[in-house]
Amino acid sequence: ATQELGAVPVQLRPGAVTPVTEVSAADDRRTEDYERQLAAAVSAAMAEQATSAPTPEVEKAVAGAISGIVSAYALAMAVAFVAASGRRGADGASEASSVASKAAKEETARVAHRAAVGRDEAIKEYGRDVSSSARTTGGHVVPDRLDFREHMRVQAESYARSSGTGLREGVRYDLATLFGGTSKTWRTKRDQRVRLEHGGLEGETVPLGEPFVTLDHRHIRYPGDPDADIDLTAGCRCRLSWTLPA
């Protein structure tokens, strides 16, 4: 049987007493909205920075621009998962808030760092290929303003796509662990955009504390796992099902 709890459907396996929570269409919409907001905020923050600004200053500016967006999304994903798990009241709210807060802080720092480093690499690339879109003045590379904005916009969208899935699944991984979850199952979108490594994981179930192993023998804890190789996580749309105690 399937019933709706909050925004996350819960499936009960025949003869089992443990619910399997899955991401719903409502979650997918929230993720898409988050990715759009995050990309716009990162792009705007980067565009406002002088090309000579030091990396730590750029990181701080980006972090300040996105922290509220990241925190709100992490909390929404946590609350939906807690509701689906059947936990109610102050304890459930406290668990959701605690896990979401920690995850949001880490993800904000991660995205800000990636953006700042990406911006530095882009400036260096402009310097190696001086053309109509860039010029060198006084030892500093000064890209054409509009061209550079477009470059950072594309980069920001890439960061956001990775962040949406990774933050959602990371929050739920931490909550499932906290709730004594026993296993997790990989789910893809089952379309032609699914990368080969993830297609090979479709429907695979492993103990909660163990990683999935791809066809080329690489480990990944969950979709968007920041500890996994970037080519396994960038733009990932997969999700997990979770087996939790009743």
Side-chain angles (χ1 to χ4, degrees):
T2 300
Q3 58 181 325
E4 289 283 343
L5 293 178
V8 184
V10 175
Q11 292 185 335
L12 299 181
R13 291 176 175 175
V17 294
T18 53
V20 179
T21 60
E22 296 193 0
V23 176
S24 67
D27 273 353
D28 286 341
R29 290 193 295 272
R30 287 194 185 98
T31 297
E32 291 172 359
D33 289 343
Y34 165 72
E35 291 173 353
R36 282 194 293 269
Q37 293 174 30
L38 184 66
V42 171
S43 181
M46 296 295 289
E48 292 174 359
Q49 298 303 303
T51 55
S52 58
T55 301
E57 184 177 311
V58 176
E59 282 192 44
K60 182 178 180 180
V62 174
I66 68 174
S67 61
I69 297 170
V70 177
S71 295
Y73 175 70
L75 183 59
M77 296 298 97
V79 167
F81 190 84
V82 168
S85 73
R87 286 162 173 76
R88 296 289 188 271
D91 287 344
S94 177
E95 290 165 335
S97 178
S98 177
V99 169
S101 178
K102 179 177 180 292
K105 183 178 180 180
E106 293 174 351
E107 185 65 11
T108 295
R110 187 179 299 116
V111 172
H113 179 71
R114 287 188 63 195
V117 171
R119 166 244 188 211
D120 291 345
E121 292 174 349
I123 290 175
K124 291 178 182 177
E125 188 62 33
Y126 274 109
R128 282 194 290 267
D129 182 21
V130 178
S131 64
S132 59
S133 63
R135 59 188 174 82
T136 303
T137 304
H140 295 295
V141 178
V142 185
D144 175 84
R145 196 66 172 171
L146 293 178
D147 189 63
F148 194 59
R149 281 176 181 266
E150 176 62 16
H151 176 86
M152 294 316 303
R153 183 191 66 77
V154 173
Q155 288 291 95
E157 289 178 352
S158 175
Y159 306 146
R161 284 194 299 271
S162 297
S163 178
T165 296
L167 181 54
R168 180 191 68 217
E169 298 300 314
V171 163
R172 290 175 173 177
Y173 176 83
D174 289 343
L175 284 168
T177 301
L178 181 65
F179 297 160
T182 58
S183 67
K184 56 191 178 184
T185 302
W186 194 283
R187 304 295 185 188
T188 70
K189 290 294 186 180
R190 299 183 183 183
D191 59 27
Q192 294 187 359
R193 292 175 55 194
V194 175
R195 71 197 77 194
L196 178 63
E197 295 85 354
H198 291 184
L201 296 176
E202 167 62 35
E204 182 174 334
T205 299
V206 301
L208 184 63
E210 295 184 9
F212 293 93
V213 181
T214 65
L215 294 172
D216 54 355
H217 309 294
R218 290 185 286 173
H219 290 184
I220 182 169
R221 294 174 298 168
Y222 50 82
D225 180 1
D227 292 336
D229 294 337
I230 188 66
D231 63 298
L232 289 179
T233 61
C236 178
R237 301 171 298 137
C238 298
R239 57 185 173 81
L240 295 184
S241 297
W242 314 83
T243 303
L244 305 176

